[in-house]
Amino acid sequence: MADPTSRQYVPLTCHGHSRPVPHVSFSPLEKEEVYYMISACKDGNPMLRDGQTGDWIGTFLGHKGAVWQARLSPDASTAATASADFTAKVWDTHTGELLYILQHDHIVRAIAYPYDNSGMLATGGFEKKLRIFDLQEQKPLYSPTSSIDPNPVTPITIETSQAFEIGEGAHKDAIKFIVWAKDPNMIITASGDTLRWFDLPSRSCVREAKLDGEIKSCELVSLAPAYSSPADIGGGLPVLAVAAGKTAYFWGGNRAEDDIKQITLPHGIASVALDLKGRKYVVGEEPGTWARVYDWEDGRELDVHKGHHGPIWSIAFSPDGNLYATGSEDGTIKMWKNCEGYYGLWRGGLSTGSGTD
């Protein structure tokens, strides 16, 4: 009989995008086994899906250029997208309506909500400026829905002059990722090969770390409170996971500035994600199209996922840790089971090997 720990489950494949998928992310847990996934795509049409099944819920229509990043707010009521059309946009996740247009002067690559505040956003991109937008100062006007008015919301445009710039002049390259630490006064940016930590009250850069090459992935990994424990990697707090060159870096603590671990691999990595409870990490190899799973403690290779046909630019774990999603240059998202027993659409069926489609 096969060793149950080596069982390979068929991944779920989410189709619908027509261009590469540079970013995927999950919402927090709304209630047990209810959460959402959003994907950015170079086709300009970010998509909202059921996070557990991958079923399509809706597409946010309105960008006129590639969408580089997409995130869901802590309360999952809004989605924020960063685009090459010189805007970031904020959407109502229930209706799909456009609520805010954050106007920029160049391509927007990065966007982030605070850890537990849905009313603010940080943006960055080719302007090399980190900005904070307060969405609570102005509220979109909802008009009564009627057949005469097919668009009941009048979106609000916020100019960059109304935002707060943090760390003026600190960035030498485009800002590719922004992470808001659990401590709301700390923001981390990835720009070129450098991570920077910014203290919001003083608006100043308080730390820099030059990494092993251009930063390809930079995400805060966390579990829903009901699933996290002090025995997890990071001691029950979120962990900052970063991929640069051939090295995966991990920082912990409320301000995501405590060094936990650096792991150098024999191959380049385009993306990294961390299984806090299962104590393993997943990377997208570069060059290549495979995802590799490694043991956190001893670095053993546990699995190889061969389903994609292009580089894997983004990997994200669900808020309960029971699955993870990979977003690829091939235009698809794949969802990989990360637990024993029945879960979501996996009802005990086994595949002969991982990565079958």
Side-chain angles (χ1 to χ4, degrees):
M1 188 173 171
D3 174 3
T5 60
S6 66
R7 285 179 174 181
Q8 299 287 2
Y9 291 88
V10 177
L12 308 176
T13 302
C14 306
H15 298 282
H17 286 303
S18 60
R19 296 284 312 282
V21 177
H23 191 245
V24 293
S25 60
F26 286 96
S27 74
L29 203 62
E30 284 218 318
K31 51 181 184 282
E32 190 178 356
E33 296 194 358
V34 177
Y35 53 91
Y36 304 96
M37 177 175 68
I38 191 167
S39 53
C41 185
K42 290 187 183 178
D43 63 12
N45 299 322
M47 289 186 179
L48 182 68
R49 297 177 184 272
D50 181 296
Q52 192 191 63
T53 65
D55 290 344
W56 179 84
I57 294 172
T59 302
F60 300 106
L61 299 172
H63 277 297
K64 294 179 171 62
V67 174
W68 284 99
Q69 267 180 37
R71 298 191 189 275
L72 291 155
S73 63
D75 65 6
S77 68
T78 62
T81 51
S83 175
D85 66 9
F86 293 19
T87 72
K89 287 181 161 69
V90 182
W91 314 81
D92 184 316
T93 52
H94 299 287
T95 65
E97 302 278 7
L98 177 60
L99 302 178
Y100 295 92
I101 302 164
L102 311 182
Q103 195 63 52
H104 291 68
D105 299 319
H106 211 315
I107 290 167
V108 189
R109 284 291 300 258
I111 198 156
Y113 287 94
Y115 186 75
D116 57 6
N117 177 353
S118 299
M120 299 186 80
L121 271 176
T123 67
F126 280 33
E127 290 181 73
K128 307 173 188 173
K129 294 179 179 180
L130 171 63
R131 294 189 177 97
I132 309 288
F133 289 84
D134 186 347
L135 306 179
Q136 294 159 114
E137 289 188 344
Q138 304 175 65
K139 300 281 186 181
L141 295 173
Y142 285 80
S143 58
T145 306
S146 70
S147 56
I148 304 166
D149 182 7
N151 185 19
V153 181
T154 305
I156 287 175
T157 298
I158 305 179
E159 303 292 339
T160 51
S161 59
Q162 296 171 261
F164 303 95
E165 188 177 347
I166 307 297
E168 192 172 341
H171 296 93
K172 312 302 180 216
D173 298 287
I175 299 169
K176 300 286 182 70
F177 295 91
I178 300 170
V179 166
W180 216 306
K182 189 172 184 187
D183 178 341
N185 288 320
M186 180 67 80
I187 284 185
I188 301 99
T189 62
S191 169
D193 63 1
T194 304
L195 274 188
R196 293 179 176 86
W197 285 256
F198 291 89
D199 174 69
L200 291 194
S202 66
R203 297 196 191 186
S204 62
C205 180
V206 293
R207 180 182 176 185
E208 287 191 5
K210 191 175 168 67
L211 307 187
D212 176 34
E214 184 188 350
I215 298 167
K216 296 293 182 73
S217 167
C218 174
E219 298 287 335
L220 194 68
V221 183
S222 64
L223 281 167
Y227 290 85
S228 67
S229 81
D232 299 343
I233 299 170
L237 291 171
V239 173
L240 179 65
V242 182
K246 294 181 176 180
T247 307
Y249 300 81
F250 304 95
W251 284 270
N254 274 318
R255 294 164 67 87
E257 58 181 354
D258 304 338
D259 293 285
I260 297 179
K261 205 169 200 176
Q262 292 182 24
I263 303 165
T264 299
L265 295 167
H267 54 81
I269 49 178
S271 49
V272 62
L274 183 61
D275 181 353
L276 298 171
K277 194 166 291 296
R279 304 187 80 81
K280 58 181 180 284
Y281 59 98
V282 187
V283 300
E285 63 174 13
E286 187 182 37
T289 64
W290 297 353
R292 296 181 182 272
V293 185
Y294 292 101
D295 183 272
W296 172 259
E297 311 297 346
D298 62 17
R300 282 181 305 125
E301 187 175 274
L302 303 175
D303 210 346
V304 182
H305 296 318
K306 302 181 180 180
H308 282 295
H309 303 289
I312 295 166
W313 299 125
S314 182
I315 307 173
F317 274 85
S318 62
D320 60 8
N322 285 331
L323 62 81
Y324 49 94
T326 51
S328 169
E329 179 76 13
D330 67 16
T332 69
I333 301 151
K334 289 185 184 289
M335 297 166 70
W336 310 84
K337 188 169 182 282
N338 189 49
C339 60
E340 288 300 310
Y342 294 174
Y343 186 77
L345 297 181
W346 290 282
R347 293 296 173 212
L350 299 180
S351 77
T352 53
S354 68
T356 55
D357 185 27

